[in-house]
Amino acid sequence: MSIFTTRPEIIGTFGVAASTHWLAAQTAMGVLERGGNAFDAAVAGGFVLQVVEPHLNGPGGEVPILLWSESDRQALAICGQGVAPAGASTAAFQRLGLEQVPGIGLLPATVPGAFGAWLTMLRDHGTWSLAAVLEPALRYAREGFVLIPRAIQAILAVEDLFRRRWPTSAHVWLPDNQCPVPGQLFRLPALAATYEKIIAQAQDQGGGKRTGEIEAALAGWYRGFVARAIDDFCRTGKIPDSSGQAHSGFLRYDDMAHWQAAVEKPLQLDFGRHTLMKCGFWSQGPVFLQQAGMLRHAGLAHCAPDTAGFVHGIAEAAKLALADRLAWYGCAPDASHEAQMALLADDYLQQRWGLVQRQASDILRPGSPLGRKPQLPDLDVARRTLLTADTRFGVGEPTFAPLVASAQWPGREVFVGDTCHIDVIDRHGNMVAATPSGGWLSSSPAIPALGFALNTRLQMTWLDKSLPNTLTPGVMPCTTLSPSMAFKDGEPYMVFGTPGGDQQDQWSCAFFLRHAVHGMNLQEAIDAPAWHVDHFPASFWPRATRLNELTLESRFAPDQIDALRQQGHQVHVGPPWSESRMSACSRWRDAQGRLLLRAAANPRGMQGYAVGR
């Protein structure tokens, strides 16, 4: 008997793309149709996401990328996470009377890394010119696109902030002093002008060569007019933020000029026939690897994916991995590379899995790799911060609902953090997974000379001393962004990922296990009822801690929900299609060696799409 899915698993031989927005997926497929490779396609789709999902990412944001190059026969990670400004020290924040980095405004900005990461991949692995990959995004920004309902909700949620406090954002997002209307074309002329200027300068200075133009564009962004405009705005602006005060920013021209995207080998972990690959401990990607390593010992093949046993095992592994993230992940001087790598050792993960009992854990339990004692931040800081904070105009995550008083936060999902994702595989077998985020429209005021806002990623650091993720000048924060790649039987197989902040590697892990352990196809594994746990201090301001909370889609059977409650989980039942935002693409050779490509995308939110042929 066939199993119903919300849309088909796409199967083809020429190329596939999947994304959180149909325009990005179709843009990527259009590049493939016109002879571009997966890297060209992902870059073009990524720039389109900055325009059409402006509430979830922007040009001032960041992006981690995983790629497989068929010609080079290697997997790489490109780190598009920028670093903290030279002036952004714990002492500098303490002089401002702050115990936490605010969630909005100019203070939390890092060097915007997305542009550098996308162009690094285009330069090193692509075939198209800068102008060609930017053309779709530039056209939408200049001529117009239809804002999706969630983007309009995000603008409505902060409309008063824009009108009263951030007039430069009001100019961009409230044209003619009106909130955007569903179904009408929306334009971003200032952003279009920025990209037109970048392209013109690159063509003028690039010596007529593709790579020369890309290098010239990078120079224009990080050492030219973009960097100077950011410096001027951060230096002279006094911007109200979630601290209840107005502050200028720390980000300067020199911070931009000295940064470039890093290229490195992904971390790896074996799971049966699969080898999983993630970005390093500057991301939360190792949370996925730690969960998978623990769950090698869980016997999940005996638990159907819609049962309490399946959910409980994965949820408890997630709690342990996320506790390790809190204690050990980061790039600050006190981070230990040796301890971090020990987190992925099988003997350590087997010992961690031994802590899982039939009853749900209700305490934070970071481990002790190499026998070292974990150090945790002061988790009471969120409570103290909220005593004087101004929460009227948003928090650290993108917001899709009207803001309510902080006393009403417990038990209500009023701040729904999301981001973007795109996967591409071409006919040659090249693969890309990327999770762009940051610089969303509600994060900080639009810079009038550029038409976009800066990111707020520094809110993910701590101001406590001697932690792996302590705020440190020139060091990047540990980001939640986390694309995924898997090999199968030693060959590149799948790229996948999801938006969702702290939920990303929970949803990705459960998706992968439904596919790899229970044989669901990509669309079945995406459509299946999903969940997440809250058992950690949130990564976004004000970083409140919740423990032992399990949120399930209501499509789980009542007896399975009851079983989870009996096991001690504090269960919240959400709407039937409210969890996870997965998309995925895979490749596999048939018995004759022909490459078969597959793709699937998330139906939740009614905007993600997979395409291919």
Side-chain angles (χ1 to χ4, degrees), residues 47 50-51 59 115 131 134-145 172-173 186-201 221 225-226 447-452:
F47 279 113
Q50 293 177 358
V51 174
F115 191 83
L134 271 174
E135 189 274 334
L138 178 55
R139 185 178 67 252
Y140 285 126
R142 183 177 55 224
E143 300 176 9
F145 62 98
V172 173
W173 302 108
F186 187 86
R187 299 172 59 250
L188 293 169
L191 177 58
T194 295
Y195 283 146
E196 287 169 340
K197 187 173 181 179
I198 281 283
I199 292 169
Q201 289 189 357
W221 195 273
F225 77 94
V226 173
I447 301 172
L450 302 174
F452 63 80

Side-chain angles (χ1 to χ4, degrees), residues 504-571:
Q504 288 181 35
D505 284 297
Q506 298 186 54
W507 291 337
S508 293
C509 184
F511 157 81
F512 169 76
L513 293 168
R514 288 191 288 262
H515 177 65
V517 175
H518 289 282
M520 290 184 168
N521 73 32
L522 300 184
Q523 194 62 52
E524 290 169 348
I526 289 173
D527 284 356
W531 72 90
H532 77 270
V533 297
D534 289 294
H535 190 82
F536 43 81
S539 292
F540 293 91
W541 185 94
R543 312 208 68 177
T545 301
R546 297 160 65 182
L547 297 176
N548 194 29
E549 297 189 17
L550 174 65
T551 302
L552 300 151
E553 289 181 333
S554 61
R555 290 181 293 136
F556 280 93
D559 63 326
Q560 300 303 312
I561 295 174
D562 289 342
L564 288 163
R565 286 196 171 108
Q566 291 168 12
Q567 288 182 276
H569 295 278
Q570 295 182 32
V571 174

Side-chain angles (χ1 to χ4, degrees), residues 244-597:
Q245 307 168 41
H247 298 103
S248 56
F250 292 115
L251 191 57
R252 297 290 184 268
Y253 177 91
D254 284 348
D255 300 313
M256 301 277 291
H258 289 100
W259 183 86
Q260 62 181 0
V263 180
E264 58 195 36
K265 291 289 186 181
L267 296 176
Q268 298 185 18
L269 184 134
D270 291 333
F271 185 93
R273 297 171 62 186
H274 296 83
T275 299
L276 301 168
M277 298 188 181
K278 299 291 289 189
C279 296
F281 285 93
W282 50 268
S283 76
Q284 74 169 345
V287 165
F288 182 110
L289 302 182
Q290 286 196 260
Q291 289 176 88
M294 285 183 257
L295 293 165
R296 288 182 296 208
H297 309 285
L300 290 179
H302 303 293
C303 301
D306 58 354
T307 63
F310 190 77
V311 175
H312 175 75
I314 299 173
E316 293 302 298
K319 292 177 182 179
L320 294 169
L322 287 161
D324 279 348
R325 180 190 69 167
L326 177 63
W328 299 106
Y329 292 20
C331 302
D334 286 286
S336 166
H337 176 72
E338 294 79 9
Q340 289 173 346
M341 295 308 297
L343 297 173
L344 302 180
D346 187 61
D347 57 349
Y348 175 81
L349 294 170
Q350 190 167 5
Q351 176 267 325
R352 293 290 276 164
W353 178 251
L355 298 176
V356 174
Q357 304 295 319
R358 177 172 173 76
Q359 287 300 112
S361 172
D362 60 0
I363 58 173
L364 272 175
R365 293 186 291 180
S368 301
L370 304 178
R372 301 182 185 181
K373 183 179 179 180
Q375 183 175 345
L376 299 180
D378 175 6
L379 300 183
D380 193 49
V381 67
R383 181 193 61 81
R384 297 195 301 272
T385 295
L386 288 173
L387 294 176
T388 58
D390 186 348
T391 61
R392 291 175 296 166
F393 301 119
V395 293
E397 292 183 277
T399 305
F400 304 131
L403 301 179
V404 299
S406 58
Q408 300 178 41
W409 290 6
R412 290 189 61 181
E413 288 290 329
V414 295
F415 307 118
V416 185
D418 252 333
T419 215
C420 307
H421 188 81
I422 186 168
D423 304 301
V424 185
I425 305 179
D426 64 26
R427 65 187 184 279
H428 310 293
N430 298 308
M431 308 197 305
V432 178
T435 310
S437 187
W440 43 72
L441 62 87
S442 57
S443 62
S444 67
I447 301 172
L450 302 174
F452 63 80
L454 293 172
N455 67 82
T456 55
R457 197 61 59 173
L458 276 188
Q459 67 181 293
M460 295 186 171
T461 60
W462 298 95
L463 299 185
D464 305 55
K465 293 182 179 179
S466 304
L467 297 173
N469 196 30
T470 295
L471 171 64
T472 307
V475 172
M476 58 185 148
C478 184
T479 178
T480 52
L481 305 176
S482 188
S484 303
M485 182 183 294
F487 279 33
K488 187 174 183 179
D489 297 337
E491 284 295 308
Y493 174 61
M494 182 165 65
V495 282
F496 55 107
T498 178
D502 292 312
Q503 286 75 53
Q504 288 181 35
D505 284 297
Q506 298 186 54
W507 291 337
S508 293
C509 184
F511 157 81
F512 169 76
L513 293 168
R514 288 191 288 262
H515 177 65
V517 175
H518 289 282
M520 290 184 168
N521 73 32
L522 300 184
Q523 194 62 52
E524 290 169 348
I526 289 173
D527 284 356
W531 72 90
H532 77 270
V533 297
D534 289 294
H535 190 82
F536 43 81
S539 292
F540 293 91
W541 185 94
R543 312 208 68 177
T545 301
R546 297 160 65 182
L547 297 176
N548 194 29
E549 297 189 17
L550 174 65
T551 302
L552 300 151
E553 289 181 333
S554 61
R555 290 181 293 136
F556 280 93
D559 63 326
Q560 300 303 312
I561 295 174
D562 289 342
L564 288 163
R565 286 196 171 108
Q566 291 168 12
Q567 288 182 276
H569 295 278
Q570 295 182 32
V571 174
H572 305 286
V573 179
W577 296 91
S578 55
E579 294 284 323
S580 182
R581 308 285 186 271
M582 294 296 309
S583 63
C585 296
S586 71
R587 47 164 279 187
W588 190 247
R589 295 194 183 274
D590 67 10
Q592 286 74 44
R594 297 170 298 191
L595 201 61
L596 294 179
L597 309 178

Side-chain angles (χ1 to χ4, degrees), residues 139-210:
R139 185 178 67 252
Y140 285 126
R142 183 177 55 224
E143 300 176 9
F145 62 98
V146 175
L147 278 171
I148 59 176
R150 280 176 173 254
I152 295 174
Q153 283 179 279
I155 295 170
L156 279 169
V158 289
E159 180 182 5
D160 192 40
L161 170 65
F162 289 176
R163 294 188 186 281
R164 293 173 51 192
R165 307 286 187 92
W166 293 2
T168 60
S169 290
H171 180 74
V172 173
W173 302 108
L174 303 172
D176 300 322
N177 204 32
Q178 299 294 321
C179 193
V181 176
Q184 293 186 355
L185 289 177
F186 187 86
R187 299 172 59 250
L188 293 169
L191 177 58
T194 295
Y195 283 146
E196 287 169 340
K197 187 173 181 179
I198 281 283
I199 292 169
Q201 289 189 357
Q203 291 175 337
D204 181 60
Q205 301 168 11
K209 297 181 179 179
R210 189 186 77 88

